[in-house]
């Protein structure tokens, strides 16, 4: 499934038309995948993490065309609907797709204490706000 979604995103972004888009999401996906594996998160959480990493900038091409730029607030505004439409082509349940769309819709939002996405292992967490780009994993005494 992950490879098919990656391939779909390459086609969606029109391959190398804008080389940064493809190289960026592939790099983000690899970092997110690695951190999720090292954290031993549950299989479904790992899949959500990876899919969100792959599609996190899905709105960039459309925003550049529609608005002349791909500012973060525009990506968050336009991204969720694009994600839902894009993921209809794959065998994913509604909750999975909704979670990925939510993450994409908040991936550049500034983070506060109430917006942490907790994984229970060893009290570590991954920030929801752009967690898959800079994937901040920290140990906290919560």
């Amino acid at each position: 499934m992950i490879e098919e979604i990656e391939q779909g995103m390459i086609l969606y972004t029109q391959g190398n038309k804008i080389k940064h888009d493809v190289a960026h999401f592939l790099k983000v996906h690899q970092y997110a995948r690695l951190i999720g594996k090292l954290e031993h998160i549950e299989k479904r959480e790992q899949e959500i993490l990876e899919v969100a990493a792959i599609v996190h900038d899905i709105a960039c091409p459309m925003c550049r065309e529609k608005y002349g730029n791909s500012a973060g607030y525009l990506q968050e505004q336009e991204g969720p609907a694009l994600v839902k439409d894009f993921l209809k082509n794959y065998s994913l349940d509604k909750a999975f797709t909704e979670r990925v769309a939510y993450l994409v819709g908040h991936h550049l939002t500034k983070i506060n204490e109430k917006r942490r996405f907790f994984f229970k292992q060893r009290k570590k967490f991954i920030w929801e706000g752009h967690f898959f780009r800079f994937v901040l994993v920290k140990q906290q005494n919560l």
Side-chain angles (χ1 to χ4, degrees):
M1 168 194 58
I2 298 297
E3 293 78 13
E4 289 83 10
I5 292 172
E6 273 188 329
Q7 180 182 29
M9 274 301 292
I10 291 168
L11 296 172
Y12 184 88
T13 58
Q14 299 177 3
N16 287 326
K17 183 176 181 184
I18 299 176
K19 292 178 185 178
H20 166 79
D21 289 351
V22 175
H24 175 69
F25 83 71
L26 290 173
K27 186 185 320 180
V28 169
H29 172 234
Q30 287 306 309
Y31 283 132
R33 181 188 166 283
L34 176 62
I35 290 172
K37 294 286 187 184
L38 292 173
E39 289 298 304
H40 306 288
I41 63 176
E42 294 177 20
K43 183 178 190 266
R44 183 173 173 88
E45 291 173 334
Q46 179 73 28
E47 291 171 347
I48 289 170
L49 173 68
E50 291 190 43
V51 172
I54 293 165
V55 301
H56 78 280
D57 279 347
I58 194 168
C60 285
M62 186 271 278
C63 288
R64 283 191 291 267
E65 186 175 315
K66 184 175 180 180
Y67 304 107
N69 68 75
S70 58
Y73 75 95
L74 296 172
Q75 292 179 49
E76 290 186 342
Q77 176 183 307
E78 302 286 357
L82 295 173
V83 166
K84 290 176 187 177
D85 187 56
F86 176 79
L87 292 179
K88 282 194 287 190
N89 299 315
Y90 304 93
S91 299
L92 303 169
D93 63 68
K94 184 177 180 180
F96 187 105
T97 299
E98 289 292 330
R99 184 66 178 153
V100 171
Y102 173 83
L103 293 171
V104 169
H106 294 83
H107 81 278
L108 293 166
T109 301
K110 290 189 178 182
I111 304 154
N112 61 41
E113 290 298 312
K114 294 178 183 175
R115 296 187 57 124
R116 291 184 183 167
F117 183 70
F118 288 96
F119 292 107
K120 295 177 182 173
Q121 296 86 2
R122 296 181 304 276
K123 296 184 179 178
K124 290 188 178 184
F125 62 86
I126 296 177
W127 291 105
E128 262 185 356
H130 217 191
F131 76 96
F132 32 75
R133 179 162 183 210
F134 297 108
V135 198
L136 300 173
V137 178
K138 297 183 178 185
Q139 182 140 354
Q140 295 270 320
N141 293 324
L142 300 175

